[in-house]
Amino acid sequence: TAPRSGAREASLRRLNTDRIDLMQIHWPDRYVPAFGMTTFHHDQKREGDVPIYETAEALKTLIDEGKIRYIGLSNESTLGVCEWVKACEELGIADKLATIQNSYSLLDRRFDSELAEACDYYNIGLLPWSVLAGGLLSGKYNKNVRGNGLPSSPNSRFNLFPDYMKRWHPDSASKETLEATEEYAKIAADVGITPSELAIAFVRTRKFVKDHGAVIVGATTLEQLKENLAPFDGTPVVLDEDVLKRIDEVHMRCRDPCCSL
């Protein structure tokens, strides 16, 4: 339609490009448990959401026009992934469904089960967001964390925004979340790397990231960016089987502690 075409062209103009290599759908239009919630609440289902097929059809038009090359999902469930694959197969663009962007970190490994299986089967790679749990896994907010990571500052996210991402905020996160953070920081110190480097290096060991995905990192300062890129630069940080076993032991004691019903 004309409005859709106008919005598309305006976006490309602002980006100063004639096409987008990977178009990520930011969020399902239908209700899904979000922000660390693990329970599907039937009474929160809503009417009138845009069908997945309709969205996929619109994206096919953009693919056919050469405006986008590949499609990515975000914050999706296993059902959503399967429905997207079905729609793309019917439209003849199954090979264009490339990635999924969901939360994944040492404190939230829910992707490891059904989603990992589905995405492996359909060759969809994970682009994990909040691999540092909003910065909590860097250790900079916890005086009990030992190691050589960067300290927090008055401009650090959780210092500036006391109500932001409460499941990870050092003043409101669960006791289990903070304890797990300390345990992971101890492992990092024993290995001789920073807590941030451990968290990022761990995510890079996951097959659904290594084969078809990539790690999303974020930073406020140049120093933070350098620390976050350390697991990639020069000689990448490699976690051996003993370290991964220690990480799994903490995970089994504090399984996805930042998630709730």
Side-chain angles (χ1 to χ4, degrees):
T1 64
R4 179 189 299 161
S5 175
R8 174 196 65 203
E9 295 304 324
S11 293
L12 292 173
R13 186 167 58 253
R14 287 192 295 270
L15 292 169
N16 194 28
T17 186
D18 59 357
R19 72 176 184 187
I20 296 172
D21 289 330
L22 178 61
M23 181 75 157
Q24 295 285 147
I25 305 300
H26 189 221
W27 204 273
D29 194 58
R30 71 190 189 283
Y31 159 71
V32 292
F35 300 112
M37 305 299 289
T38 60
T39 301
F40 182 85
H41 296 281
H42 296 266
D43 60 349
Q44 293 189 32
K45 291 173 60 179
R46 53 181 179 264
E47 300 293 331
D49 53 277
V50 178
I52 286 174
Y53 186 91
E54 183 177 330
T55 304
E57 193 173 29
L59 291 172
K60 180 184 185 302
T61 299
L62 296 177
I63 291 172
D64 292 342
E65 293 176 350
K67 299 301 182 181
I68 63 174
R69 297 182 64 196
Y70 294 96
I71 302 168
L73 312 176
S74 298
N75 305 300
E76 261 297 2
S77 66
T78 306
L79 171 66
V81 169
C82 294
E83 287 296 304
W84 266 98
V85 170
K86 178 183 176 182
C88 289
E89 286 177 343
E90 292 178 3
L91 292 165
I93 55 171
D95 61 325
K96 299 299 183 181
L97 185 56
T99 58
I100 181 171
Q101 183 174 300
N102 277 34
S103 175
Y104 187 80
S105 71
L106 288 169
L107 296 175
D108 182 359
R109 292 173 56 176
R110 289 171 296 159
F111 195 93
D112 280 333
S113 56
E114 294 95 344
L115 271 166
E117 178 187 17
C119 290
D120 178 71
Y121 186 80
Y122 294 119
N123 295 318
I124 297 172
L126 176 65
L127 309 177
W129 58 267
S130 283
V131 295
L132 295 180
L136 183 66
L137 281 168
S138 70
K140 63 185 178 183
Y141 296 105
N142 192 332
K143 65 179 183 300
N144 294 323
V145 167
R146 61 189 177 92
N148 56 346
L150 296 171
S152 67
S153 73
N155 290 324
S156 295
R157 175 185 294 172
F158 291 140
N159 292 333
L160 283 175
F161 307 107
D163 295 324
Y164 185 69
M165 288 184 171
K166 289 189 175 182
R167 67 189 184 282
W168 295 325
H169 196 290
D171 293 335
S172 55
S174 68
K175 175 184 176 183
E176 292 78 11
T177 295
L178 298 177
E179 288 178 349
T181 299
E182 292 181 19
E183 289 295 320
Y184 290 129
K186 290 176 184 176
I187 295 173
D190 291 343
V191 176
I193 57 180
T194 70
S196 292
E197 290 170 348
L198 179 80
I200 294 171
F202 168 75
V203 172
R204 295 190 73 203
T205 68
R206 306 296 88 182
K207 191 175 189 300
F208 41 76
V209 174
K210 287 194 300 183
D211 287 359
H212 305 290
V215 179
I216 299 173
V217 299
T220 303
T221 67
L222 181 59
E223 289 74 19
Q224 290 174 352
L225 182 61
K226 289 178 179 178
E227 182 182 22
N228 290 348
L229 292 179
F232 304 88
D233 290 343
T235 303
V237 175
V238 177
L239 306 182
D240 61 29
E241 290 301 317
D242 288 339
V243 174
L244 292 175
K245 181 180 179 181
R246 291 182 62 187
I247 289 173
D248 283 342
E249 288 172 351
V250 176
H251 174 61
M252 292 308 296
R253 290 197 302 271
C254 303
R255 196 178 183 91
D256 303 329
C258 64
C259 299
S260 62
L261 298 177

